[in-house]
Amino acid sequence: GAVVSQHPSRVICKSGTSVKIECRSLDFQATTMFWYRQFPKQSLMLMATSNEGSKATYEQGVEKDKFLINHASLTLSTLTVTSAHPEDSSFYICSASSAAPYEQYFGPGTRLTVT
Amino acid sequence: DAKTTQPPSMDCAEGRAANLPCNHSTISGNEYVYWYRQIHSQGPQYIIHGLKNNETNEMASLIITEDRKSSTLILPHATLRDTAVYYCIVRVPPSSGGSNYKLTFGKGTLLTVNP
Protein backbone atom coordinates (compact mmCIF):
# COMPACT_ATOMS: atom_id res chain seq x y z
CA GLY A 1 0.00 0.00 0.00
CA ALA A 2 0.78 3.74 0.25
CA VAL A 3 2.42 4.47 -3.09
CA VAL A 4 3.45 7.97 -4.06
CA SER A 5 4.63 8.83 -7.56
CA GLN A 6 6.38 11.86 -8.97
CA HIS A 7 6.61 13.12 -12.51
CA PRO A 8 8.92 13.76 -14.16
CA SER A 9 11.76 11.80 -12.58
CA ARG A 10 14.30 14.04 -14.27
CA VAL A 11 13.99 17.40 -15.96
CA ILE A 12 16.44 19.78 -17.54
CA CYS A 13 15.33 23.33 -18.19
CA LYS A 14 16.91 26.57 -19.25
CA SER A 15 17.50 29.41 -16.87
CA GLY A 16 14.50 31.71 -16.65
CA THR A 17 11.91 29.12 -17.53
CA SER A 18 9.41 27.49 -15.19
CA VAL A 19 9.04 23.83 -14.49
CA LYS A 20 6.21 21.90 -12.87
CA ILE A 21 6.64 18.74 -10.80
CA GLU A 22 3.68 16.52 -10.00
CA CYS A 23 3.21 14.39 -6.89
CA ARG A 24 0.45 11.81 -6.81
CA SER A 25 -0.81 9.46 -4.13
CA LEU A 26 -1.81 6.37 -6.08
CA ASP A 27 -3.77 4.28 -3.61
CA PHE A 28 -4.85 6.61 -0.84
CA GLN A 29 -6.22 10.09 -0.36
CA ALA A 30 -3.57 12.50 0.80
CA THR A 31 -4.94 15.25 2.99
CA THR A 32 -1.47 16.67 3.48
CA MET A 33 1.49 16.74 1.12
CA PHE A 34 5.02 17.87 1.77
CA TRP A 35 7.76 19.12 -0.52
CA TYR A 36 11.43 18.64 0.31
CA ARG A 37 14.60 19.72 -1.42
CA GLN A 38 17.92 17.91 -1.20
CA PHE A 39 21.21 19.30 -2.45
CA PRO A 40 24.10 16.92 -3.20
CA LYS A 41 25.57 15.24 -0.13
CA GLN A 42 23.08 17.03 2.12
CA SER A 43 19.99 15.96 3.99
CA LEU A 44 16.38 16.60 3.06
CA MET A 45 15.09 20.05 3.87
CA LEU A 46 11.36 20.64 4.17
CA MET A 47 10.21 23.43 1.86
CA ALA A 48 6.48 23.54 2.45
CA THR A 49 3.44 21.72 3.73
CA SER A 50 0.15 21.80 1.88
CA ASN A 51 -3.31 20.68 2.85
CA GLU A 52 -5.87 19.87 0.18
CA GLY A 53 -7.81 22.96 -0.78
CA SER A 54 -5.69 25.32 1.33
CA LYS A 55 -2.69 27.52 0.78
CA ALA A 56 0.65 25.94 1.44
CA THR A 57 2.68 26.76 4.54
CA TYR A 58 6.26 27.54 3.62
CA GLU A 59 9.31 27.01 5.79
CA GLN A 60 11.42 29.98 6.72
CA GLY A 61 13.64 31.08 3.88
CA VAL A 62 11.60 29.44 1.12
CA GLU A 63 10.17 31.96 -1.35
CA LYS A 64 6.49 31.23 -1.90
CA ASP A 65 6.38 33.24 -5.12
CA LYS A 66 9.21 31.23 -6.56
CA PHE A 67 8.02 27.80 -5.48
CA LEU A 68 4.32 27.66 -6.24
CA ILE A 69 2.46 24.79 -4.66
CA ASN A 70 -1.00 23.65 -5.62
CA HIS A 71 -2.87 20.88 -3.81
CA ALA A 72 -6.18 20.95 -5.60
CA SER A 73 -7.21 17.36 -5.06
CA LEU A 74 -6.70 14.60 -2.52
CA THR A 75 -4.37 12.74 -4.86
CA LEU A 76 -2.36 15.45 -6.58
CA SER A 77 -0.02 18.23 -5.56
CA THR A 78 2.17 20.23 -7.90
CA LEU A 79 5.32 22.24 -7.29
CA THR A 80 6.18 24.87 -9.89
CA VAL A 81 9.65 26.35 -9.83
CA THR A 82 9.24 29.73 -11.49
CA SER A 83 12.02 31.55 -13.30
CA ALA A 84 14.42 28.78 -12.49
CA HIS A 85 18.11 29.49 -12.02
CA PRO A 86 21.07 27.13 -11.81
CA GLU A 87 21.07 27.39 -8.00
CA ASP A 88 17.58 25.81 -8.04
CA SER A 89 19.11 22.63 -9.42
CA SER A 90 18.36 20.02 -6.81
CA PHE A 91 16.55 16.80 -5.96
CA TYR A 92 12.91 17.56 -5.13
CA ILE A 93 11.01 14.97 -3.12
CA CYS A 94 7.37 14.96 -2.15
CA SER A 95 5.62 13.00 0.55
CA ALA A 96 1.97 12.44 1.28
CA SER A 97 0.01 11.79 4.42
CA SER A 98 -3.48 10.39 4.73
CA ALA A 99 -6.08 11.38 7.25
CA ALA A 100 -5.10 8.39 9.35
CA PRO A 101 -2.62 7.08 10.38
CA TYR A 102 -1.03 10.38 9.26
CA GLU A 103 2.33 8.84 8.45
CA GLN A 104 4.32 10.23 5.51
CA TYR A 105 4.95 8.20 2.39
CA PHE A 106 7.63 9.46 0.06
CA GLY A 107 7.81 9.75 -3.69
CA PRO A 108 10.87 8.69 -5.68
CA GLY A 109 12.05 12.26 -6.24
CA THR A 110 12.61 14.55 -9.22
CA ARG A 111 16.06 15.60 -10.33
CA LEU A 112 15.95 19.18 -11.62
CA THR A 113 18.87 20.59 -13.57
CA VAL A 114 18.77 24.22 -14.63
CA THR A 115 21.25 25.15 -17.35
CA ASP B 1 11.70 17.34 17.84
CA ALA B 2 14.64 16.13 19.90
CA LYS B 3 18.02 16.13 18.22
CA THR B 4 19.70 12.90 17.33
CA THR B 5 23.34 12.01 16.86
CA GLN B 6 24.46 9.35 14.43
CA PRO B 7 27.90 8.34 13.15
CA PRO B 8 28.44 9.73 9.65
CA SER B 9 29.37 6.41 8.13
CA MET B 10 29.65 2.69 8.79
CA ASP B 11 30.73 -0.37 6.87
CA CYS B 12 29.31 -3.85 7.04
CA ALA B 13 30.10 -7.12 5.32
CA GLU B 14 27.41 -8.67 3.21
CA GLY B 15 25.46 -11.29 5.13
CA ARG B 16 26.47 -9.93 8.51
CA ALA B 17 24.30 -7.95 10.88
CA ALA B 18 24.46 -4.19 10.59
CA ASN B 19 24.01 -2.32 13.87
CA LEU B 20 23.35 1.38 13.47
CA PRO B 21 23.45 3.46 16.65
CA CYS B 22 21.55 6.64 17.43
CA ASN B 23 21.80 8.89 20.45
CA HIS B 24 18.77 10.91 21.51
CA SER B 25 19.54 11.93 25.06
CA THR B 26 16.94 14.75 25.13
CA ILE B 27 14.04 12.63 23.97
CA SER B 28 10.71 13.42 25.64
CA GLY B 29 8.41 10.86 27.16
CA ASN B 30 5.89 10.99 24.34
CA GLU B 31 8.38 10.97 21.47
CA TYR B 32 8.90 7.91 19.34
CA VAL B 33 12.06 6.84 17.58
CA TYR B 34 11.64 6.52 13.81
CA TRP B 35 14.07 5.13 11.27
CA TYR B 36 14.06 5.90 7.57
CA ARG B 37 16.59 5.13 4.91
CA GLN B 38 17.41 6.71 1.58
CA ILE B 39 19.03 4.78 -1.18
CA HIS B 40 21.01 6.99 -3.53
CA SER B 41 18.81 9.21 -5.73
CA GLN B 42 15.57 7.81 -4.30
CA GLY B 43 12.99 9.05 -1.83
CA PRO B 44 13.23 8.02 1.84
CA GLN B 45 11.76 4.70 2.87
CA TYR B 46 10.18 4.06 6.26
CA ILE B 47 11.82 1.22 8.18
CA ILE B 48 10.50 1.00 11.71
CA HIS B 49 9.51 3.02 14.75
CA GLY B 50 9.09 2.43 18.48
CA LEU B 51 8.46 4.10 21.83
CA LYS B 52 10.23 2.05 24.50
CA ASN B 53 9.77 -1.61 23.71
CA ASN B 54 11.97 -3.33 21.17
CA GLU B 55 10.31 -3.68 17.80
CA THR B 56 10.84 -6.04 14.89
CA ASN B 57 9.40 -6.17 11.41
CA GLU B 58 10.34 -7.79 8.13
CA MET B 59 13.04 -5.22 7.47
CA ALA B 60 14.77 -4.66 10.79
CA SER B 61 14.79 -4.69 14.57
CA LEU B 62 14.84 -1.64 16.79
CA ILE B 63 16.44 -1.86 20.21
CA ILE B 64 15.75 1.06 22.55
CA THR B 65 17.67 1.37 25.81
CA GLU B 66 15.75 1.37 29.05
CA ASP B 67 16.42 5.07 29.64
CA ARG B 68 15.43 5.74 26.00
CA LYS B 69 18.47 7.92 25.45
CA SER B 70 19.77 5.79 22.64
CA SER B 71 18.68 3.13 20.20
CA THR B 72 20.12 0.71 17.67
CA LEU B 73 18.70 -0.30 14.33
CA ILE B 74 19.65 -3.83 13.39
CA LEU B 75 19.60 -5.21 9.87
CA PRO B 76 20.07 -8.91 10.63
CA HIS B 77 21.57 -10.01 7.30
CA ALA B 78 22.76 -7.02 5.35
CA THR B 79 22.76 -7.19 1.57
CA LEU B 80 24.32 -4.91 -1.01
CA ARG B 81 20.89 -3.36 -1.56
CA ASP B 82 20.91 -2.14 2.04
CA THR B 83 23.62 0.38 1.19
CA ALA B 84 21.92 3.68 1.97
CA VAL B 85 21.81 6.66 4.31
CA TYR B 86 19.91 5.75 7.46
CA TYR B 87 18.12 8.48 9.36
CA CYS B 88 17.11 8.29 13.02
CA ILE B 89 14.34 10.77 13.88
CA VAL B 90 12.55 11.32 17.17
CA ARG B 91 9.10 12.81 17.12
CA VAL B 92 5.61 12.54 18.53
CA PRO B 93 3.30 10.43 16.36
CA PRO B 94 1.50 12.54 13.78
CA SER B 95 -2.12 13.38 14.49
CA SER B 96 -4.82 15.43 12.90
CA GLY B 97 -4.87 19.10 13.77
CA GLY B 98 -1.39 19.10 15.22
CA SER B 99 1.76 20.68 13.89
CA ASN B 100 3.63 17.46 14.33
CA TYR B 101 3.47 16.21 10.78
CA LYS B 102 6.94 17.45 10.06
CA LEU B 103 9.89 15.13 9.77
CA THR B 104 13.21 16.76 10.51
CA PHE B 105 16.03 14.90 8.82
CA GLY B 106 19.55 15.08 10.21
CA LYS B 107 22.62 13.96 8.34
CA GLY B 108 22.13 10.26 9.00
CA THR B 109 24.58 7.40 8.71
CA LEU B 110 25.85 6.21 5.36
CA LEU B 111 25.90 2.44 5.62
CA THR B 112 28.02 0.75 3.01
CA VAL B 113 27.57 -2.98 2.67
CA ASN B 114 30.63 -4.58 1.15
CA PRO B 115 30.71 -7.87 -0.77
Side-chain angles (χ1 to χ4, degrees):
Chain A
V3 178
V4 177
S5 70
Q6 283 185 242
H7 177 80
S9 57
R10 292 177 176 270
V11 58
I12 301 173
C13 70
K14 294 192 174 183
S15 187
T17 63
S18 296
V19 61
K20 180 184 288 186
I21 302 170
E22 292 186 349
C23 177
R24 293 182 185 272
S25 57
L26 298 185
D27 52 2
F28 67 100
Q29 293 186 324
T31 52
T32 306
M33 286 186 168
F34 306 81
W35 287 95
Y36 295 81
R37 180 169 52 182
Q38 185 174 33
F39 292 110
K41 298 191 184 300
Q42 295 188 23
S43 190
L44 285 79
M45 296 298 295
L46 180 65
M47 300 175 66
T49 302
S50 73
N51 292 300
E52 184 262 340
S54 303
K55 289 185 178 180
T57 301
Y58 291 81
E59 295 298 300
Q60 191 172 10
V62 178
E63 299 175 58
K64 62 179 181 180
D65 294 330
K66 180 168 183 63
F67 299 100
L68 302 179
I69 292 172
N70 184 284
H71 189 174
S73 79
L74 287 172
T75 59
L76 173 64
S77 175
T78 60
L79 168 69
T80 301
V81 183
T82 63
S83 186
H85 289 95
E87 56 265 31
D88 297 323
S89 298
S90 188
F91 193 49
Y92 291 87
I93 305 168
C94 74
S95 69
S97 175
S98 63
Y102 310 113
E103 295 294 353
Q104 289 186 38
Y105 304 96
F106 287 84
T110 296
R111 176 78 57 192
L112 170 64
T113 303
V114 184
T115 61
Chain B
D1 291 343
K3 291 183 66 175
T4 62
T5 304
Q6 299 178 252
S9 64
M10 293 183 66
D11 284 282
C12 176
E14 188 178 18
R16 305 297 292 270
N19 297 281
L20 292 91
C22 179
N23 286 321
H24 32 78
S25 58
T26 59
I27 191 170
S28 300
N30 62 345
E31 287 182 313
Y32 283 62
V33 180
Y34 282 74
W35 284 84
Y36 287 80
R37 73 179 183 183
Q38 186 179 25
I39 295 170
H40 183 62
S41 293
Q42 296 184 25
Q45 177 189 22
Y46 165 82
I47 302 174
I48 199 168
H49 75 279
L51 181 62
K52 52 184 176 181
N53 296 323
N54 297 339
E55 301 289 342
T56 296
N57 62 21
E58 63 277 7
M59 288 183 68
S61 294
L62 174 60
I63 309 298
I64 303 174
T65 58
E66 193 169 341
D67 63 7
R68 301 209 323 122
K69 292 186 177 181
S70 65
S71 60
T72 301
L73 179 74
I74 301 173
L75 307 179
H77 306 286
T79 71
L80 299 179
R81 287 177 294 181
D82 292 322
T83 293
V85 178
Y86 287 76
Y87 296 99
C88 169
I89 300 170
V90 292
R91 61 178 296 205
V92 295
S95 60
S96 175
S99 61
N100 52 15
Y101 285 90
K102 296 181 184 181
L103 284 171
T104 303
F105 287 84
K107 298 187 177 182
T109 296
L110 172 60
L111 173 69
T112 302
V113 181
N114 300 304

